[in-house]
Amino acid sequence: GMLVEVAPLRDPMLPDVLVYWAERGTPERLPDGAHLLGRLAGTAPRHFAVPAAATAEPGWLYLYSLGHARLVDSAALPSGGE
């Protein structure tokens, strides 16, 4: 499978930051059906396995604070073949 590395430049200082991947989306909101990849804490780089669809399709990576119930950040990702 494909891995994506998330390397925070600084500690997000937010409670329960979760990392999601979605095949389709927008930068403004976490879409329904997004795949939970794991939890992000501190500044150490973390590797997350993304779904098989990410190797063929571009997608979106989302950082969501469960504690604040809000989207923290998002980024468009190319497909694994690019």
Side-chain angles (χ1 to χ4, degrees), residues 39-68:
R39 186 171 177 267
L40 186 67
T43 57
R46 293 277 317 273
H47 293 92
F48 299 97
V50 294
T55 61
E57 298 290 331
W60 285 85
L61 192 70
Y62 294 93
L63 301 181
Y64 184 85
S65 172
L66 191 60
H68 287 191

Side-chain angles (χ1 to χ4, degrees), residues 6 8-10 12 20 24 31 36-37 44 49 52 56 60-61 64 78 80-81:
V6 177
L9 298 177
R10 64 184 189 282
Y20 287 88
R24 293 180 189 80
L36 175 63
L37 303 182
W60 285 85
L61 192 70
Y64 184 85

Side-chain angles (χ1 to χ4, degrees), residues 1-3 21-23 35 37 48-59 78-81:
M2 191 172 93
L3 295 177
W21 179 86
E23 193 171 323
H35 299 269
L37 303 182
F48 299 97
V50 294
T55 61
E57 298 290 331
S79 69

